Coordinates of all heavy atoms in Angstrom, one line a residue:
M1 N -29.8 -177.2 -26.7 CA -30.9 -177.9 -25.9 C -30.3 -178.3 -24.5 O -29.3 -179.0 -24.4 CB -31.4 -179.0 -26.8 CG -32.6 -179.7 -26.2 SD -33.5 -180.6 -27.5 CE -32.5 -182.0 -27.7
A2 N -31.1 -178.1 -23.5 CA -30.6 -178.4 -22.1 C -31.8 -179.1 -21.4 O -32.9 -178.7 -21.5 CB -30.3 -177.1 -21.4
A3 N -31.5 -180.1 -20.7 CA -32.5 -180.8 -19.9 C -32.8 -180.1 -18.6 O -31.9 -179.8 -17.8 CB -32.0 -182.2 -19.6
L4 N -34.0 -179.7 -18.4 CA -34.4 -179.0 -17.1 C -34.9 -180.0 -16.2 O -34.8 -179.8 -15.0 CB -35.6 -178.1 -17.4 CG -35.2 -176.9 -18.5 CD1 -36.4 -176.1 -18.7 CD2 -34.1 -176.1 -18.0
S5 N -35.4 -181.3 -16.7 CA -35.9 -182.3 -15.8 C -35.9 -183.5 -16.8 O -35.6 -183.4 -17.9 CB -37.2 -181.9 -15.1 OG -38.3 -181.9 -16.2
K6 N -36.5 -184.6 -16.1 CA -36.6 -185.7 -17.1 C -37.5 -185.5 -18.2 O -37.5 -186.1 -19.2 CB -37.1 -187.0 -16.2 CG -36.0 -187.5 -15.3 CD -36.4 -188.7 -14.5 CE -35.4 -189.4 -13.7 NZ -35.9 -190.6 -13.0
I7 N -38.5 -184.6 -17.9 CA -39.6 -184.5 -18.9 C -39.6 -183.2 -19.7 O -40.4 -183.0 -20.6 CB -41.0 -184.6 -18.3 CG1 -41.2 -183.5 -17.2 CG2 -41.2 -185.9 -17.6 CD1 -42.6 -183.4 -16.6
L8 N -38.7 -182.2 -19.4 CA -38.7 -181.0 -19.9 C -37.3 -180.5 -20.4 O -36.3 -180.7 -19.7 CB -39.3 -179.9 -19.0 CG -39.8 -178.6 -19.5 CD1 -41.0 -178.9 -20.5 CD2 -40.2 -177.7 -18.4
R9 N -37.1 -180.0 -21.5 CA -35.9 -179.5 -22.1 C -36.2 -178.0 -22.6 O -37.3 -177.6 -23.1 CB -35.5 -180.3 -23.3 CG -35.1 -181.7 -22.8 CD -34.5 -182.5 -24.0 NE -34.1 -183.8 -23.4 CZ -33.6 -184.8 -24.1 NH1 -33.3 -184.7 -25.4 NH2 -33.2 -185.9 -23.6
S10 N -35.1 -177.2 -22.5 CA -35.2 -175.8 -23.0 C -34.4 -175.9 -24.3 O -33.4 -176.6 -24.6 CB -34.5 -174.9 -22.1 OG -33.2 -175.1 -21.9
V11 N -35.0 -175.1 -25.3 CA -34.4 -175.0 -26.7 C -34.3 -173.5 -27.0 O -35.0 -172.7 -26.4 CB -35.1 -175.8 -27.7 CG1 -34.9 -177.2 -27.5 CG2 -36.6 -175.4 -27.7
E12 N -33.6 -173.2 -28.0 CA -33.3 -171.8 -28.4 C -34.6 -171.1 -28.6 O -35.6 -171.8 -29.1 CB -32.4 -171.8 -29.6 CG -31.0 -171.9 -29.3 CD -30.3 -171.8 -30.7 OE1 -30.6 -171.0 -31.6 OE2 -29.2 -172.6 -30.8
G13 N -34.6 -169.8 -28.4 CA -35.8 -169.0 -28.7 C -36.9 -169.0 -27.6 O -38.0 -168.9 -27.9
N14 N -36.4 -169.2 -26.4 CA -37.3 -169.2 -25.2 C -38.4 -170.3 -25.4 O -39.5 -170.1 -25.0 CB -38.0 -167.8 -25.1 CG -37.0 -166.8 -24.6 OD1 -36.1 -167.1 -23.8 ND2 -37.2 -165.6 -25.0
R15 N -37.9 -171.4 -25.9 CA -39.0 -172.5 -26.0 C -38.6 -173.6 -25.1 O -37.4 -173.8 -24.7 CB -38.9 -173.0 -27.5 CG -39.5 -172.0 -28.5 CD -39.5 -172.6 -29.9 NE -38.1 -172.8 -30.3 CZ -37.7 -173.7 -31.2 NH1 -38.6 -174.4 -31.9 NH2 -36.5 -173.9 -31.5
L16 N -39.7 -174.3 -24.6 CA -39.6 -175.4 -23.8 C -40.2 -176.6 -24.6 O -41.2 -176.5 -25.3 CB -40.3 -175.3 -22.5 CG -39.9 -174.2 -21.6 CD1 -40.8 -174.0 -20.4 CD2 -38.4 -174.5 -21.2
M17 N -39.5 -177.8 -24.5 CA -40.0 -178.9 -25.3 C -40.2 -180.2 -24.3 O -39.5 -180.3 -23.4 CB -38.8 -179.3 -26.2 CG -39.0 -180.4 -27.2 SD -37.6 -180.7 -28.3 CE -37.7 -179.2 -29.4
F18 N -41.3 -180.8 -24.7 CA -41.7 -182.0 -24.1 C -42.1 -183.0 -24.9 O -42.2 -182.8 -26.2 CB -42.9 -181.8 -23.0 CG -44.1 -181.3 -23.7 CD1 -45.0 -182.2 -24.2 CD2 -44.4 -179.9 -24.0 CE1 -46.2 -181.7 -24.8 CE2 -45.5 -179.5 -24.7 CZ -46.5 -180.4 -25.0
W19 N -42.0 -184.3 -24.5 CA -42.4 -185.4 -25.4 C -43.8 -185.7 -25.3 O -44.4 -185.9 -24.2 CB -41.5 -186.6 -25.0 CG -41.6 -187.7 -26.0 CD1 -42.5 -188.7 -26.1 CD2 -40.9 -187.7 -27.2 NE1 -42.3 -189.5 -27.3 CE2 -41.2 -188.9 -28.0 CE3 -39.8 -186.9 -27.7 CZ2 -40.7 -189.2 -29.1 CZ3 -39.2 -187.3 -28.9 CH2 -39.7 -188.5 -29.6
C20 N -44.4 -185.7 -26.4 CA -45.9 -185.9 -26.5 C -46.1 -187.4 -26.7 O -45.8 -187.9 -27.8 CB -46.5 -185.1 -27.6 SG -48.3 -185.5 -27.7
P21 N -46.8 -188.1 -25.8 CA -47.1 -189.5 -25.9 C -48.2 -189.8 -26.9 O -48.3 -191.0 -27.4 CB -47.5 -190.0 -24.5 CG -48.1 -188.8 -23.9 CD -47.2 -187.5 -24.4
G22 N -49.0 -188.8 -27.2 CA -50.0 -189.0 -28.2 C -49.5 -188.9 -29.6 O -49.8 -189.9 -30.4
C23 N -48.6 -188.0 -29.9 CA -47.9 -188.0 -31.2 C -46.7 -188.8 -31.3 O -46.2 -189.0 -32.5 CB -47.6 -186.5 -31.5 SG -49.0 -185.5 -31.5
D24 N -46.2 -189.2 -30.2 CA -44.8 -190.0 -30.2 C -43.9 -189.0 -30.8 O -43.0 -189.4 -31.7 CB -44.9 -191.3 -30.9 CG -43.7 -192.2 -30.4 OD1 -43.1 -192.0 -29.3 OD2 -43.3 -193.1 -31.2
A25 N -43.8 -187.8 -30.4 CA -43.0 -186.7 -31.0 C -42.8 -185.7 -30.0 O -43.5 -185.5 -29.0 CB -43.6 -186.2 -32.3
A26 N -41.7 -184.8 -30.2 CA -41.5 -183.7 -29.3 C -42.3 -182.5 -29.7 O -42.6 -182.3 -30.9 CB -40.0 -183.4 -29.3
H27 N -42.8 -181.9 -28.7 CA -43.5 -180.6 -29.0 C -42.8 -179.5 -28.3 O -42.4 -179.7 -27.1 CB -45.0 -180.6 -28.5 CG -45.9 -181.4 -29.3 ND1 -45.7 -181.8 -30.5 CD2 -47.0 -182.2 -28.9 CE1 -46.7 -182.6 -31.0 NE2 -47.4 -182.9 -29.9
A28 N -42.7 -178.3 -28.9 CA -42.1 -177.1 -28.2 C -43.2 -176.1 -28.1 O -43.9 -175.9 -29.1 CB -40.9 -176.7 -29.0
V29 N -43.1 -175.2 -27.0 CA -43.9 -174.1 -26.9 C -43.0 -172.9 -26.5 O -42.0 -173.1 -25.8 CB -45.0 -174.3 -25.7 CG1 -46.0 -175.3 -26.1 CG2 -44.4 -174.6 -24.4
R30 N -43.3 -171.8 -26.9 CA -42.6 -170.6 -26.7 C -43.1 -169.9 -25.4 O -44.3 -169.7 -25.2 CB -42.7 -169.5 -27.8 CG -41.9 -168.3 -27.7 CD -42.0 -167.4 -28.8 NE -41.8 -168.1 -30.1 CZ -40.6 -168.1 -30.7 NH1 -39.5 -167.6 -30.0 NH2 -40.3 -168.7 -31.9
V31 N -42.2 -169.6 -24.5 CA -42.7 -169.0 -23.2 C -41.8 -167.8 -22.9 O -41.0 -167.4 -23.7 CB -42.4 -170.0 -22.1 CG1 -43.2 -171.3 -22.2 CG2 -40.9 -170.3 -21.9
G32 N -42.4 -167.0 -21.9 CA -41.6 -165.8 -21.6 C -42.3 -164.6 -22.1 O -43.4 -164.6 -22.4
S33 N -41.5 -163.6 -22.1 CA -42.0 -162.2 -22.4 C -42.6 -162.2 -23.8 O -42.1 -163.0 -24.7 CB -40.9 -161.2 -22.3 OG -39.8 -161.5 -23.1
G34 N -43.4 -161.3 -24.0 CA -44.1 -161.2 -25.3 C -45.2 -162.3 -25.5 O -45.7 -162.9 -24.5
S35 N -45.3 -162.7 -26.8 CA -46.3 -163.7 -27.1 C -45.8 -165.0 -26.7 O -44.6 -165.3 -26.7 CB -46.5 -163.7 -28.6 OG -45.4 -163.9 -29.3
G36 N -46.7 -165.9 -26.4 CA -46.4 -167.2 -26.0 C -47.2 -167.8 -24.9 O -48.3 -167.2 -24.5
W37 N -46.8 -168.8 -24.3 CA -47.5 -169.4 -23.2 C -46.9 -169.1 -21.9 O -45.7 -168.7 -21.8 CB -47.4 -171.0 -23.3 CG -48.2 -171.6 -24.3 CD1 -49.5 -172.2 -24.1 CD2 -48.0 -171.7 -25.7 NE1 -50.0 -172.6 -25.3 CE2 -49.1 -172.3 -26.4 CE3 -47.0 -171.3 -26.6 CZ2 -49.2 -172.6 -27.7 CZ3 -47.1 -171.6 -28.0 CH2 -48.2 -172.3 -28.5
T38 N -47.8 -169.1 -20.9 CA -47.2 -168.9 -19.6 C -46.8 -170.3 -19.0 O -47.4 -171.2 -19.3 CB -48.3 -168.4 -18.6 OG1 -49.4 -169.2 -18.5 CG2 -48.9 -167.0 -19.1
Y39 N -45.8 -170.2 -18.1 CA -45.2 -171.4 -17.7 C -45.0 -171.2 -16.2 O -44.7 -170.2 -15.7 CB -43.8 -171.6 -18.4 CG -42.8 -172.6 -17.6 CD1 -43.2 -173.9 -17.3 CD2 -41.5 -172.2 -17.4 CE1 -42.3 -174.7 -16.8 CE2 -40.6 -173.0 -16.8 CZ -41.0 -174.3 -16.5 OH -40.1 -175.2 -15.9
N40 N -45.4 -172.3 -15.4 CA -45.3 -172.1 -14.0 C -43.9 -172.3 -13.3 O -43.8 -172.1 -12.1 CB -46.2 -173.2 -13.3 CG -45.7 -174.7 -13.5 OD1 -44.8 -174.9 -14.3 ND2 -46.2 -175.6 -12.7
G41 N -43.0 -172.5 -14.1 CA -41.5 -172.4 -13.6 C -41.1 -173.7 -13.0 O -40.0 -173.7 -12.4
N42 N -42.0 -174.7 -13.0 CA -41.6 -176.0 -12.3 C -41.4 -177.1 -13.4 O -42.3 -177.6 -14.0 CB -42.8 -176.4 -11.4 CG -42.5 -177.7 -10.6 OD1 -41.5 -178.5 -11.0 ND2 -43.2 -178.0 -9.6
P43 N -40.0 -177.4 -13.6 CA -39.7 -178.4 -14.8 C -40.1 -179.7 -14.4 O -40.2 -180.5 -15.3 CB -38.2 -178.2 -14.8 CG -37.8 -177.7 -13.5 CD -38.9 -176.9 -12.9
D44 N -40.4 -180.1 -13.1 CA -40.9 -181.4 -12.8 C -42.4 -181.6 -12.9 O -42.8 -182.7 -13.3 CB -40.5 -181.8 -11.4 CG -38.9 -181.8 -11.2 OD1 -38.3 -182.6 -12.1 OD2 -38.3 -181.2 -10.4
K45 N -43.1 -180.5 -12.8 CA -44.5 -180.4 -13.0 C -44.9 -179.3 -13.7 O -45.6 -178.4 -13.1 CB -45.2 -180.6 -11.5 CG -45.0 -181.9 -10.7 CD -45.7 -181.9 -9.5 CE -45.6 -183.2 -8.8 NZ -46.0 -184.4 -9.5
P46 N -44.6 -179.2 -14.9 CA -44.8 -178.0 -15.7 C -46.3 -177.8 -16.0 O -47.1 -178.8 -16.2 CB -44.1 -178.1 -16.9 CG -43.9 -179.7 -17.2 CD -43.8 -180.2 -15.8
T47 N -46.7 -176.5 -15.9 CA -48.0 -176.1 -16.4 C -47.9 -175.1 -17.4 O -47.1 -174.1 -17.3 CB -48.8 -175.6 -15.2 OG1 -49.1 -176.5 -14.2 CG2 -50.2 -175.0 -15.8
F48 N -48.5 -175.2 -18.7 CA -48.5 -174.2 -19.6 C -49.9 -173.7 -19.9 O -50.8 -174.6 -19.8 CB -48.0 -174.8 -21.0 CG -46.6 -175.4 -20.8 CD1 -46.4 -176.7 -21.1 CD2 -45.6 -174.5 -20.6 CE1 -45.0 -177.2 -21.0 CE2 -44.2 -175.0 -20.4 CZ -44.0 -176.4 -20.8
T49 N -50.2 -172.6 -20.0 CA -51.5 -172.1 -20.4 C -51.3 -171.0 -21.6 O -50.3 -170.3 -21.6 CB -52.2 -171.4 -19.3 OG1 -51.5 -170.4 -18.7 CG2 -52.7 -172.4 -18.2
P50 N -52.1 -170.9 -22.5 CA -53.4 -171.7 -22.7 C -53.2 -173.0 -23.2 O -52.0 -173.6 -23.1 CB -54.3 -170.7 -23.6 CG -53.3 -170.2 -24.5 CD -52.1 -169.8 -23.5
S51 N -54.1 -173.6 -23.8 CA -54.0 -174.9 -24.4 C -53.0 -174.8 -25.6 O -52.7 -173.9 -26.1 CB -55.3 -175.5 -24.9 OG -55.8 -174.8 -26.0
I52 N -52.5 -176.1 -26.0 CA -51.5 -176.3 -26.9 C -52.1 -177.0 -28.2 O -52.7 -178.1 -28.0 CB -50.3 -177.0 -26.4 CG1 -49.7 -176.3 -25.2 CG2 -49.3 -177.3 -27.5 CD1 -48.8 -177.1 -24.4
L53 N -52.0 -176.4 -29.3 CA -52.6 -177.1 -30.5 C -51.6 -177.2 -31.6 O -50.9 -176.2 -32.0 CB -53.8 -176.1 -31.1 CG -54.4 -176.6 -32.3 CD1 -55.1 -178.0 -32.2 CD2 -55.4 -175.5 -32.8
F54 N -51.4 -178.4 -32.0 CA -50.5 -178.7 -33.1 C -51.1 -179.2 -34.2 O -52.1 -180.0 -34.1 CB -49.3 -179.8 -32.6 CG -48.3 -179.1 -31.7 CD1 -48.5 -179.2 -30.3 CD2 -47.2 -178.4 -32.2 CE1 -47.6 -178.6 -29.5 CE2 -46.4 -177.9 -31.4 CZ -46.5 -177.9 -30.0
N55 N -50.6 -178.9 -35.4 CA -51.2 -179.4 -36.7 C -52.7 -178.9 -36.7 O -53.6 -179.8 -37.1 CB -51.0 -180.8 -36.9 CG -51.2 -181.1 -38.4 OD1 -51.1 -180.3 -39.3 ND2 -51.5 -182.5 -38.5
P56 N -53.0 -177.7 -36.5 CA -54.4 -177.3 -36.5 C -55.1 -177.6 -37.9 O -54.5 -177.4 -38.9 CB -54.4 -175.8 -36.3 CG -53.0 -175.4 -36.6 CD -52.1 -176.6 -36.3
G57 N -56.3 -178.1 -37.8 CA -57.0 -178.5 -39.1 C -56.4 -179.7 -39.8 O -56.9 -180.1 -40.9
G58 N -55.5 -180.4 -39.1 CA -54.9 -181.4 -39.8 C -54.1 -181.1 -41.1 O -54.1 -181.9 -42.0
E59 N -53.5 -180.0 -41.1 CA -53.1 -179.4 -42.4 C -51.8 -180.1 -42.9 O -51.5 -180.1 -44.1 CB -52.8 -177.8 -42.3 CG -51.7 -177.6 -41.3 CD -51.8 -176.1 -41.1 OE1 -52.6 -175.3 -41.5 OE2 -50.8 -175.6 -40.4
T60 N -51.1 -180.8 -41.9 CA -49.9 -181.6 -42.3 C -50.3 -183.0 -42.4 O -50.6 -183.7 -41.4 CB -48.8 -181.4 -41.3 OG1 -48.5 -180.0 -41.2 CG2 -47.5 -182.2 -41.8
P61 N -50.3 -183.6 -43.6 CA -50.8 -185.0 -43.8 C -49.9 -185.9 -43.0 O -48.6 -185.7 -43.0 CB -50.7 -185.2 -45.3 CG -50.8 -183.9 -45.9 CD -50.1 -182.9 -44.9
G62 N -50.4 -187.0 -42.5 CA -49.7 -187.9 -41.8 C -49.3 -187.6 -40.4 O -48.6 -188.5 -39.7
V63 N -49.7 -186.4 -40.0 CA -49.3 -186.0 -38.5 C -50.6 -185.8 -37.8 O -51.5 -185.1 -38.4 CB -48.5 -184.7 -38.5 CG1 -48.2 -184.2 -37.2 CG2 -47.1 -184.9 -39.3
P64 N -50.7 -186.3 -36.6 CA -52.0 -186.1 -35.9 C -52.3 -184.6 -35.5 O -51.3 -183.8 -35.3 CB -51.8 -186.9 -34.6 CG -50.6 -187.8 -34.8 CD -49.8 -187.1 -35.9
L65 N -53.6 -184.2 -35.5 CA -53.9 -183.1 -34.8 C -53.8 -183.3 -33.3 O -54.4 -184.4 -32.9 CB -55.3 -182.6 -35.2 CG -55.8 -181.2 -34.7 CD1 -56.9 -180.8 -35.6 CD2 -56.3 -181.3 -33.2
C66 N -53.2 -182.4 -32.6 CA -53.0 -182.6 -31.2 C -53.3 -181.5 -30.5 O -52.7 -180.4 -30.7 CB -51.5 -183.0 -31.0 SG -51.1 -183.4 -29.3
H67 N -54.3 -181.5 -29.6 CA -54.8 -180.3 -28.7 C -54.8 -180.8 -27.3 O -55.4 -181.8 -26.9 CB -56.2 -180.1 -29.2 CG -56.7 -178.7 -28.8 ND1 -57.9 -178.3 -28.8 CD2 -56.0 -177.7 -28.2 CE1 -58.1 -177.1 -28.3 NE2 -56.9 -176.7 -27.9
S68 N -54.0 -180.0 -26.5 CA -53.9 -180.5 -25.1 C -53.7 -179.3 -24.2 O -53.4 -178.2 -24.5 CB -52.6 -181.4 -25.1 OG -51.4 -180.5 -25.3
F69 N -53.9 -179.6 -22.9 CA -53.6 -178.9 -21.8 C -52.5 -179.6 -21.0 O -52.6 -180.8 -20.7 CB -54.7 -178.6 -20.8 CG -55.7 -177.6 -21.2 CD1 -57.0 -178.0 -21.8 CD2 -55.5 -176.3 -21.3 CE1 -57.9 -177.1 -22.1 CE2 -56.5 -175.3 -21.7 CZ -57.6 -175.8 -22.1
V70 N -51.3 -178.9 -20.7 CA -50.3 -179.4 -19.9 C -50.5 -178.8 -18.5 O -50.3 -177.6 -18.4 CB -48.9 -179.2 -20.4 CG1 -47.8 -179.7 -19.3 CG2 -48.7 -180.0 -21.7
T71 N -50.8 -179.6 -17.5 CA -51.0 -179.1 -16.1 C -50.4 -180.0 -15.1 O -50.6 -181.2 -15.1 CB -52.5 -179.1 -15.9 OG1 -53.2 -178.3 -16.9 CG2 -52.9 -178.5 -14.5
D72 N -49.5 -179.4 -14.3 CA -48.8 -180.1 -13.2 C -48.2 -181.4 -13.7 O -48.2 -182.5 -13.0 CB -49.7 -180.5 -12.1 CG -50.2 -179.2 -11.3 OD1 -49.5 -178.2 -11.3 OD2 -51.3 -179.2 -10.8
G73 N -47.5 -181.4 -14.8 CA -46.7 -182.5 -15.4 C -47.6 -183.5 -16.0 O -47.0 -184.6 -16.3
R74 N -48.8 -183.2 -16.2 CA -49.7 -184.2 -16.9 C -50.3 -183.6 -18.2 O -50.4 -182.2 -18.2 CB -50.9 -184.5 -15.9 CG -50.4 -185.6 -14.8 CD -51.5 -185.9 -13.8 NE -52.6 -186.6 -14.4 CZ -52.5 -187.9 -14.5 NH1 -51.5 -188.6 -14.2 NH2 -53.6 -188.6 -15.0
I75 N -50.6 -184.3 -19.1 CA -51.1 -183.8 -20.4 C -52.4 -184.4 -20.7 O -52.6 -185.5 -20.6 CB -50.1 -184.1 -21.6 CG1 -50.6 -183.4 -22.8 CG2 -49.8 -185.5 -21.7 CD1 -49.5 -183.3 -23.9
Q76 N -53.4 -183.4 -20.8 CA -54.8 -183.8 -21.1 C -55.1 -183.5 -22.5 O -55.0 -182.4 -23.0 CB -55.7 -182.9 -20.2 CG -57.3 -183.0 -20.6 CD -58.1 -181.9 -19.9 OE1 -57.5 -181.0 -19.4 NE2 -59.4 -182.1 -20.1
F77 N -55.4 -184.6 -23.3 CA -55.6 -184.4 -24.6 C -57.2 -184.2 -24.8 O -58.0 -185.0 -24.3 CB -55.2 -185.7 -25.4 CG -53.8 -185.9 -25.4 CD1 -53.2 -187.0 -24.6 CD2 -52.9 -185.2 -26.1 CE1 -51.8 -187.1 -24.6 CE2 -51.5 -185.4 -26.1 CZ -51.0 -186.3 -25.3
L78 N -57.3 -183.2 -25.6 CA -58.8 -182.8 -25.8 C -59.4 -183.7 -26.9 O -58.6 -184.4 -27.6 CB -59.0 -181.3 -26.1 CG -58.4 -180.4 -25.1 CD1 -58.6 -179.0 -25.6 CD2 -59.0 -180.6 -23.8
G79 N -60.7 -183.8 -26.9 CA -61.4 -184.7 -27.8 C -61.2 -184.5 -29.3 O -61.5 -185.3 -30.2
D80 N -60.6 -183.2 -29.6 CA -60.5 -183.0 -31.0 C -59.1 -183.5 -31.6 O -58.8 -183.4 -32.7 CB -60.6 -181.4 -31.4 CG -59.8 -180.5 -30.7 OD1 -59.3 -181.1 -29.6 OD2 -59.7 -179.4 -31.1
S81 N -58.3 -184.1 -30.6 CA -57.0 -184.6 -31.1 C -57.4 -185.9 -32.0 O -58.4 -186.5 -31.8 CB -56.2 -185.2 -29.9 OG -55.9 -184.0 -29.0
T82 N -56.4 -186.2 -32.9 CA -56.8 -187.3 -33.8 C -55.8 -188.5 -33.5 O -55.8 -189.5 -34.4 CB -56.6 -186.8 -35.3 OG1 -55.3 -186.4 -35.4 CG2 -57.6 -185.8 -35.6
H83 N -55.1 -188.4 -32.4 CA -54.4 -189.7 -32.2 C -55.1 -190.5 -31.0 O -56.0 -190.1 -30.5 CB -53.0 -189.3 -31.6 CG -52.9 -188.2 -30.6 ND1 -53.5 -188.5 -29.3 CD2 -52.4 -187.0 -30.6 CE1 -53.4 -187.4 -28.5 NE2 -52.6 -186.4 -29.3
P84 N -54.6 -191.7 -30.7 CA -55.2 -192.6 -29.8 C -55.4 -192.1 -28.4 O -56.3 -192.6 -27.7 CB -54.4 -193.9 -29.8 CG -53.7 -193.8 -31.2 CD -53.4 -192.4 -31.3
L85 N -54.8 -191.1 -28.0 CA -54.8 -190.6 -26.6 C -55.9 -189.5 -26.5 O -56.0 -189.0 -25.4 CB -53.5 -190.3 -26.0 CG -52.4 -191.3 -25.8 CD1 -51.2 -190.8 -25.1 CD2 -53.1 -192.5 -24.9
A86 N -56.6 -189.2 -27.5 CA -57.6 -188.2 -27.5 C -58.5 -188.5 -26.3 O -59.0 -189.6 -26.1 CB -58.3 -188.1 -28.8
G87 N -58.9 -187.5 -25.5 CA -59.9 -187.6 -24.5 C -59.2 -188.2 -23.1 O -60.0 -188.3 -22.1
Q88 N -57.9 -188.5 -23.2 CA -57.3 -189.1 -22.0 C -56.3 -188.0 -21.3 O -55.9 -187.1 -21.9 CB -56.4 -190.3 -22.4 CG -57.4 -191.4 -23.0 CD -56.5 -192.7 -23.2 OE1 -55.7 -193.1 -22.4 NE2 -56.8 -193.4 -24.3
T89 N -56.0 -188.3 -20.2 CA -55.0 -187.4 -19.4 C -53.9 -188.4 -18.9 O -54.3 -189.4 -18.2 CB -55.7 -186.7 -18.2 OG1 -56.7 -185.9 -18.7 CG2 -54.6 -185.9 -17.5
V90 N -52.7 -188.1 -19.2 CA -51.7 -189.0 -18.9 C -50.4 -188.2 -18.3 O -50.3 -187.0 -18.5 CB -51.2 -190.0 -20.0 CG1 -52.3 -190.7 -20.5 CG2 -50.6 -189.1 -21.1
D91 N -49.5 -188.8 -17.6 CA -48.3 -188.1 -17.2 C -47.4 -187.9 -18.4 O -47.3 -188.7 -19.3 CB -47.5 -189.1 -16.2 CG -48.2 -189.2 -14.9 OD1 -48.9 -188.3 -14.4 OD2 -47.9 -190.2 -14.2
L92 N -46.8 -186.7 -18.4 CA -45.7 -186.5 -19.4 C -44.6 -187.6 -19.1 O -44.1 -187.8 -18.1 CB -45.1 -185.1 -19.3 CG -46.0 -183.9 -19.9 CD1 -45.4 -182.6 -19.6 CD2 -46.2 -184.2 -21.4
P93 N -44.2 -188.2 -20.3 CA -43.2 -189.2 -20.1 C -41.8 -188.6 -20.0 O -41.5 -187.5 -20.4 CB -43.4 -190.0 -21.4 CG -43.9 -189.0 -22.4 CD -44.8 -188.0 -21.6
D94 N -40.8 -189.4 -19.5 CA -39.4 -189.0 -19.5 C -39.0 -188.9 -21.0 O -39.4 -189.6 -21.9 CB -38.5 -190.1 -18.9 CG -38.8 -190.2 -17.4 OD1 -39.5 -189.5 -16.9 OD2 -38.1 -191.2 -16.9
F95 N -38.3 -187.8 -21.3 CA -38.0 -187.4 -22.6 C -37.3 -188.6 -23.3 O -37.6 -188.9 -24.5 CB -37.1 -186.2 -22.6 CG -37.4 -185.3 -23.8 CD1 -38.1 -184.1 -23.7 CD2 -36.8 -185.6 -25.1 CE1 -38.4 -183.3 -24.8 CE2 -37.0 -184.8 -26.2 CZ -37.9 -183.7 -26.0
D96 N -36.3 -189.3 -22.6 CA -35.6 -190.2 -23.3 C -36.3 -191.5 -23.5 O -35.9 -192.4 -24.2 CB -34.3 -190.6 -22.5 CG -33.4 -189.4 -22.5 OD1 -33.4 -188.7 -23.5 OD2 -32.6 -189.3 -21.5
A97 N -37.5 -191.6 -22.9 CA -38.3 -192.8 -23.0 C -38.9 -192.9 -24.4 O -39.4 -193.8 -24.9 CB -39.4 -193.0 -22.0
G98 N -39.0 -191.7 -25.0 CA -39.7 -191.6 -26.4 C -38.8 -192.3 -27.4 O -39.3 -192.6 -28.4
Ligands
ZN1 ZN1 -49.0 -184.2 -29.5

């Protein structure tokens, strides 16, 4: 695992990891060739498309459903998220702040 910036880390398997302030947990997205998300290449103000959905359907008990867009270093939580930041847009936090 390597720090690309204060808010973004790279992990094995062409994945990038950020700290989600809604879940208070790290999320990873797969980027690059083949299936996965597109990444704007800016570790200080990352943008991933399309939207990111964790725990779809709330299938893992005790873990929030988390649906977001990460754009220019900010994370917009969609209204179907089940944590307290649903519907809000906030800056991605420093990884170590989590
Ligand atoms: Zn989350």
Side-chain angles (χ1 to χ4, degrees):
M1 190 160 68
L4 300 176
S5 69
K6 287 183 177 179
I7 61 173
L8 199 64
R9 292 182 178 181
S10 65
V11 289
E12 284 183 34
N14 289 327
R15 289 179 300 156
L16 297 174
M17 186 178 285
F18 60 89
W19 193 265
C20 174
C23 298
D24 199 24
H27 291 328
V29 294
R30 186 180 300 276
V31 299
S33 60
S35 62
W37 281 262
T38 61
Y39 166 50
N40 67 346
N42 184 340
D44 293 309
K45 293 184 179 300
T47 296
F48 302 117
T49 52
S51 66
I52 301 164
L53 177 61
F54 286 95
N55 197 23
E59 61 192 14
T60 303
V63 176
L65 185 159
C66 182
H67 194 190
S68 67
F69 284 103
V70 172
T71 305
D72 292 336
R74 293 171 64 81
I75 183 165
Q76 174 193 3
F77 294 106
L78 302 181
D80 57 342
S81 302
T82 59
H83 53 58
L85 292 183
Q88 297 187 40
T89 302
V90 300
D91 291 333
L92 282 177
D94 290 357
F95 212 102
D96 290 332

